[in-house]
Amino acid sequence: MIMPAKYEYRVLPAPERGRRGRGLKGPAERFAHALEETMNEMAAEGWIYLRAESLPSEDRQGLFGGRSRALRNVLVFRRAREAEAGRKEGRDPAFHHGSPEEIAASAAASVQALPERTYPPLGAPSRGSVPPRPEHALGGAPPRSDED
């Protein structure tokens, strides 16, 4: 049986240039501002930032179809698929865990499903014997002593 995917992903090109903003000085601050705005816009739509990637891309150039390779920087976002259905119903499934009684019943059922296991008392010898230490280290060299 194929399980439906729990998440959907969205990949956007990372900003290449900064955006102007009040009080921003220099290209580094403007670039950070552009990145921050992109991430906040996606978060407002329910997307969670996952990571940034640099991936190779092959592009066609010119009239004769010459090819060139470049690295593309992208931002990867994801969100839960169930979140869309829950939002349409007016509740977010990420925060819906059931009533306390449902949670307790589920926990009790999962504990009862575990097989009984017995553990040896602390300090008791293990079941299997410990293999002997090799005379020579890997590669055939004798082990070093602290006196060398």
Side-chain angles (χ1 to χ4, degrees):
M1 181 167 97
I2 297 174
M3 297 295 293
K6 291 183 178 183
Y7 298 102
E8 59 182 329
Y9 295 86
R10 185 144 180 213
V11 180
L12 299 176
E16 294 182 1
R17 296 175 192 240
R19 292 183 191 160
R20 293 181 185 251
R22 181 175 291 213
L24 300 176
K25 300 175 187 170
E29 286 185 14
R30 286 193 292 270
F31 179 78
H33 178 66
L35 193 56
E36 180 180 326
E37 280 188 342
T38 301
M39 294 175 84
N40 284 333
E41 288 168 7
M42 295 301 293
E45 295 177 22
W47 294 95
I48 298 171
Y49 172 74
L50 196 57
R51 68 175 165 262
E53 294 282 342
S54 293
L55 300 170
S57 171
E58 190 172 287
D59 299 326
R60 290 178 48 183
Q61 282 187 331
L63 297 173
F64 300 108
R67 298 191 184 272
S68 67
R69 288 187 167 249
L71 281 178
R72 303 284 182 209
N73 297 314
V74 295
L75 304 174
V76 181
F77 296 86
R78 80 174 181 187
R79 69 179 172 191
R81 284 196 182 273
E82 294 86 8
E84 279 301 312
R87 284 191 193 104
K88 289 178 184 172
E89 296 171 7
R91 64 176 176 87
D92 190 347
F95 296 104
H96 180 72
H97 300 291
S99 69
E101 293 80 16
E102 291 172 339
I103 295 170
S106 174
S110 65
V111 169
Q112 290 173 355
L114 294 174
E116 286 294 322
R117 293 189 66 179
T118 58
Y119 296 95
L122 292 175
S126 62
R127 292 186 209 171
S129 62
V130 177
R133 187 175 184 168
E135 292 181 24
H136 296 289
L138 292 176
R144 294 180 58 182
S145 67
D146 293 333
E147 298 170 5
D148 290 341

